[in-house]
Amino acid sequence: MAVKYKLTKINDNITNKEQVKYSVTTVSNGNINLDALAEQMADASTFNYGEVKGMIENLTRMIAFHLKDGYTVTIDGLGTFSITAQPNREVEVPSKIRAESIKLKSISFKPSPKLKEKLSDIEFTKLK
């Protein structure tokens, strides 16, 4: 199965050039949730569904635990998780930023070269 995509027109609001440009936007075929993954992994291994689901849930807890403790988390073959932060409000003077005024912005994920390699033969098809 191929990944569907559509072309999205890019508006150039900065230079006002007449040349039209397009960006590629991938279109999801749906969502695979934890239950489906655990079922598929159990079918492909000697572990049962409950064991696989429990291991994934525990992995999620462990990743969160170590991210909260200031670590990045690398899972060989998958990638690296890290956090990004931002102040609660705009601050013009750096000395006004305190730990209490910083919040989690996002969790970043950088795929491993091994994961990227597994996707090197990916196929795309234009959405009709």
Side-chain angles (χ1 to χ4, degrees):
M1 182 181 255
V3 175
K4 295 180 186 119
Y5 72 91
K6 63 182 179 180
L7 298 176
T8 306
K9 186 177 176 181
I10 299 173
N11 294 321
D12 186 353
N13 297 328
I14 298 173
T15 63
N16 293 324
K17 289 184 180 176
E18 296 292 322
Q19 184 179 4
V20 177
K21 293 185 179 179
Y22 291 89
S23 172
V24 174
T25 304
T26 58
V27 179
S28 175
N29 287 325
N31 184 55
I32 303 297
N33 64 19
L34 174 58
D35 289 333
L37 283 175
E39 201 170 290
Q40 291 172 352
M41 291 171 69
D43 288 345
S45 72
T46 59
F47 298 105
N48 68 41
Y49 164 83
E51 291 169 328
V52 172
K53 187 172 179 182
M55 284 187 276
I56 295 172
E57 288 173 343
N58 197 35
L59 177 64
T60 302
R61 279 192 296 279
M62 292 293 98
I63 290 171
F65 174 82
H66 290 294
L67 289 175
K68 283 182 181 179
D69 210 20
Y71 291 90
T72 57
V73 178
T74 298
I75 301 173
D76 295 336
L78 183 62
T80 301
F81 297 88
S82 61
I83 62 163
T84 59
Q86 67 184 20
N88 285 337
R89 56 188 166 25
E90 285 190 25
V91 179
E92 294 175 7
V93 181
S95 63
K96 299 280 185 183
I97 297 176
R98 299 186 333 263
E100 297 82 21
S101 66
I102 297 172
K103 66 179 183 175
L104 175 70
K105 180 179 180 183
S106 184
I107 299 169
S108 297
F109 175 73
K110 182 181 179 192
S112 72
K114 193 180 223 177
L115 179 59
K116 285 174 134 179
E117 181 185 321
K118 290 181 187 233
L119 294 171
S120 64
D121 60 349
I122 195 167
E123 293 180 20
F124 293 92
T125 184
K126 190 172 181 179
L127 187 66
K128 297 175 185 177

mmCIF file of all heavy atoms in Angstrom, residues 26-47:
data_model
loop_
_atom_site.group_PDB
_atom_site.id
_atom_site.type_symbol
_atom_site.label_atom_id
_atom_site.label_comp_id
_atom_site.label_asym_id
_atom_site.label_seq_id
_atom_site.Cartn_x
_atom_site.Cartn_y
_atom_site.Cartn_z
ATOM 1 N N THR A 26 0.870 14.838 3.056
ATOM 2 C CA THR A 26 0.455 13.437 3.108
ATOM 3 C C THR A 26 -0.934 13.337 3.743
ATOM 4 O O THR A 26 -1.320 14.162 4.572
ATOM 5 C CB THR A 26 1.449 12.575 3.910
ATOM 6 O OG1 THR A 26 1.574 13.099 5.226
ATOM 7 C CG2 THR A 26 2.805 12.533 3.230
ATOM 8 N N VAL A 27 -1.676 12.326 3.331
ATOM 9 C CA VAL A 27 -3.036 12.104 3.806
ATOM 10 C C VAL A 27 -3.067 10.756 4.517
ATOM 11 O O VAL A 27 -2.726 9.730 3.923
ATOM 12 C CB VAL A 27 -4.043 12.123 2.640
ATOM 13 C CG1 VAL A 27 -5.453 11.869 3.141
ATOM 14 C CG2 VAL A 27 -3.958 13.438 1.881
ATOM 15 N N SER A 28 -3.466 10.753 5.772
ATOM 16 C CA SER A 28 -3.485 9.531 6.574
ATOM 17 C C SER A 28 -4.573 8.574 6.106
ATOM 18 O O SER A 28 -5.663 8.991 5.711
ATOM 19 C CB SER A 28 -3.728 9.881 8.042
ATOM 20 O OG SER A 28 -3.869 8.711 8.817
ATOM 21 N N ASN A 29 -4.275 7.288 6.170
ATOM 22 C CA ASN A 29 -5.272 6.254 5.883
ATOM 23 C C ASN A 29 -6.110 5.933 7.117
ATOM 24 O O ASN A 29 -6.983 5.088 7.071
ATOM 25 C CB ASN A 29 -4.585 4.975 5.408
ATOM 26 C CG ASN A 29 -4.055 5.107 4.007
ATOM 27 O OD1 ASN A 29 -4.650 5.759 3.166
ATOM 28 N ND2 ASN A 29 -2.917 4.499 3.752
ATOM 29 N N GLY A 30 -5.813 6.583 8.222
ATOM 30 C CA GLY A 30 -6.499 6.334 9.482
ATOM 31 C C GLY A 30 -5.481 6.287 10.605
ATOM 32 O O GLY A 30 -4.342 6.717 10.443
ATOM 33 N N ASN A 31 -5.887 5.747 11.732
ATOM 34 C CA ASN A 31 -5.025 5.702 12.906
ATOM 35 C C ASN A 31 -4.898 4.263 13.394
ATOM 36 O O ASN A 31 -5.879 3.526 13.415
ATOM 37 C CB ASN A 31 -5.618 6.582 14.016
ATOM 38 C CG ASN A 31 -4.715 6.658 15.231
ATOM 39 O OD1 ASN A 31 -3.550 7.011 15.112
ATOM 40 N ND2 ASN A 31 -5.242 6.305 16.370
ATOM 41 N N ILE A 32 -3.695 3.885 13.775
ATOM 42 C CA ILE A 32 -3.470 2.582 14.405
ATOM 43 C C ILE A 32 -3.238 2.855 15.879
ATOM 44 O O ILE A 32 -2.298 3.569 16.239
ATOM 45 C CB ILE A 32 -2.235 1.864 13.794
ATOM 46 C CG1 ILE A 32 -2.387 1.689 12.293
ATOM 47 C CG2 ILE A 32 -1.982 0.534 14.486
ATOM 48 C CD1 ILE A 32 -3.541 0.821 11.859
ATOM 49 N N ASN A 33 -4.094 2.322 16.739
ATOM 50 C CA ASN A 33 -3.971 2.604 18.162
ATOM 51 C C ASN A 33 -3.204 1.501 18.895
ATOM 52 O O ASN A 33 -2.783 0.508 18.291
ATOM 53 C CB ASN A 33 -5.354 2.833 18.789
ATOM 54 C CG ASN A 33 -6.242 1.606 18.725
ATOM 55 O OD1 ASN A 33 -5.778 0.490 18.547
ATOM 56 N ND2 ASN A 33 -7.541 1.821 18.882
ATOM 57 N N LEU A 34 -3.037 1.679 20.198
ATOM 58 C CA LEU A 34 -2.274 0.738 21.012
ATOM 59 C C LEU A 34 -2.856 -0.669 20.950
ATOM 60 O O LEU A 34 -2.121 -1.654 20.837
ATOM 61 C CB LEU A 34 -2.217 1.221 22.466
ATOM 62 C CG LEU A 34 -1.570 0.280 23.475
ATOM 63 C CD1 LEU A 34 -0.139 -0.054 23.087
ATOM 64 C CD2 LEU A 34 -1.627 0.883 24.863
ATOM 65 N N ASP A 35 -4.169 -0.796 20.999
ATOM 66 C CA ASP A 35 -4.788 -2.122 20.953
ATOM 67 C C ASP A 35 -4.440 -2.855 19.662
ATOM 68 O O ASP A 35 -4.093 -4.036 19.673
ATOM 69 C CB ASP A 35 -6.313 -2.011 21.094
ATOM 70 C CG ASP A 35 -6.740 -1.615 22.505
ATOM 71 O OD1 ASP A 35 -6.004 -1.915 23.454
ATOM 72 O OD2 ASP A 35 -7.810 -0.999 22.637
ATOM 73 N N ALA A 36 -4.520 -2.150 18.536
ATOM 74 C CA ALA A 36 -4.212 -2.770 17.244
ATOM 75 C C ALA A 36 -2.737 -3.151 17.162
ATOM 76 O O ALA A 36 -2.392 -4.241 16.686
ATOM 77 C CB ALA A 36 -4.590 -1.833 16.098
ATOM 78 N N LEU A 37 -1.859 -2.248 17.620
ATOM 79 C CA LEU A 37 -0.427 -2.561 17.621
ATOM 80 C C LEU A 37 -0.119 -3.766 18.498
ATOM 81 O O LEU A 37 0.633 -4.658 18.108
ATOM 82 C CB LEU A 37 0.392 -1.360 18.110
ATOM 83 C CG LEU A 37 0.607 -0.226 17.136
ATOM 84 C CD1 LEU A 37 1.316 0.925 17.827
ATOM 85 C CD2 LEU A 37 1.399 -0.685 15.929
ATOM 86 N N ALA A 38 -0.695 -3.795 19.692
ATOM 87 C CA ALA A 38 -0.448 -4.904 20.618
ATOM 88 C C ALA A 38 -0.931 -6.225 20.020
ATOM 89 O O ALA A 38 -0.264 -7.253 20.139
ATOM 90 C CB ALA A 38 -1.133 -4.639 21.964
ATOM 91 N N GLU A 39 -2.073 -6.183 19.354
ATOM 92 C CA GLU A 39 -2.609 -7.385 18.712
ATOM 93 C C GLU A 39 -1.687 -7.877 17.597
ATOM 94 O O GLU A 39 -1.370 -9.062 17.488
ATOM 95 C CB GLU A 39 -4.007 -7.075 18.160
ATOM 96 C CG GLU A 39 -4.865 -8.296 17.940
ATOM 97 C CD GLU A 39 -6.300 -7.894 17.628
ATOM 98 O OE1 GLU A 39 -6.987 -7.409 18.542
ATOM 99 O OE2 GLU A 39 -6.694 -8.080 16.465
ATOM 100 N N GLN A 40 -1.231 -6.950 16.757
ATOM 101 C CA GLN A 40 -0.332 -7.303 15.659
ATOM 102 C C GLN A 40 1.006 -7.824 16.185
ATOM 103 O O GLN A 40 1.557 -8.796 15.657
ATOM 104 C CB GLN A 40 -0.104 -6.100 14.745
ATOM 105 C CG GLN A 40 -1.322 -5.707 13.952
ATOM 106 C CD GLN A 40 -1.140 -4.394 13.205
ATOM 107 O OE1 GLN A 40 -0.154 -3.685 13.375
ATOM 108 N NE2 GLN A 40 -2.126 -4.061 12.381
ATOM 109 N N MET A 41 1.527 -7.176 17.219
ATOM 110 C CA MET A 41 2.808 -7.606 17.788
ATOM 111 C C MET A 41 2.675 -8.972 18.451
ATOM 112 O O MET A 41 3.585 -9.800 18.361
ATOM 113 C CB MET A 41 3.327 -6.555 18.777
ATOM 114 C CG MET A 41 3.760 -5.276 18.091
ATOM 115 S SD MET A 41 4.136 -3.922 19.230
ATOM 116 C CE MET A 41 5.636 -4.544 19.985
ATOM 117 N N ALA A 42 1.559 -9.232 19.109
ATOM 118 C CA ALA A 42 1.336 -10.534 19.735
ATOM 119 C C ALA A 42 1.260 -11.628 18.671
ATOM 120 O O ALA A 42 1.817 -12.712 18.856
ATOM 121 C CB ALA A 42 0.054 -10.497 20.563
ATOM 122 N N ASP A 43 0.605 -11.320 17.559
ATOM 123 C CA ASP A 43 0.502 -12.291 16.468
ATOM 124 C C ASP A 43 1.871 -12.621 15.862
ATOM 125 O O ASP A 43 2.071 -13.695 15.315
ATOM 126 C CB ASP A 43 -0.434 -11.774 15.361
ATOM 127 C CG ASP A 43 -1.896 -11.788 15.779
ATOM 128 O OD1 ASP A 43 -2.231 -12.445 16.794
ATOM 129 O OD2 ASP A 43 -2.701 -11.125 15.094
ATOM 130 N N ALA A 44 2.811 -11.676 15.957
ATOM 131 C CA ALA A 44 4.128 -11.859 15.342
ATOM 132 C C ALA A 44 5.187 -12.316 16.354
ATOM 133 O O ALA A 44 6.369 -12.348 16.026
ATOM 134 C CB ALA A 44 4.570 -10.553 14.694
ATOM 135 N N SER A 45 4.761 -12.658 17.580
ATOM 136 C CA SER A 45 5.739 -13.038 18.597
ATOM 137 C C SER A 45 5.181 -14.141 19.496
ATOM 138 O O SER A 45 4.069 -14.622 19.294
ATOM 139 C CB SER A 45 6.113 -11.817 19.446
ATOM 140 O OG SER A 45 5.034 -11.459 20.306
ATOM 141 N N THR A 46 5.957 -14.485 20.513
ATOM 142 C CA THR A 46 5.510 -15.486 21.481
ATOM 143 C C THR A 46 4.796 -14.845 22.664
ATOM 144 O O THR A 46 4.317 -15.548 23.546
ATOM 145 C CB THR A 46 6.716 -16.303 22.013
ATOM 146 O OG1 THR A 46 7.644 -15.395 22.629
ATOM 147 C CG2 THR A 46 7.380 -17.066 20.884
ATOM 148 N N PHE A 47 4.720 -13.524 22.684
ATOM 149 C CA PHE A 47 4.027 -12.822 23.759
ATOM 150 C C PHE A 47 2.540 -12.735 23.447
ATOM 151 O O PHE A 47 2.142 -12.644 22.289
ATOM 152 C CB PHE A 47 4.589 -11.403 23.929
ATOM 153 C CG PHE A 47 6.037 -11.373 24.322
ATOM 154 C CD1 PHE A 47 7.005 -11.037 23.397
ATOM 155 C CD2 PHE A 47 6.429 -11.688 25.617
ATOM 156 C CE1 PHE A 47 8.343 -11.010 23.752
ATOM 157 C CE2 PHE A 47 7.766 -11.665 25.982
ATOM 158 C CZ PHE A 47 8.724 -11.326 25.049
#
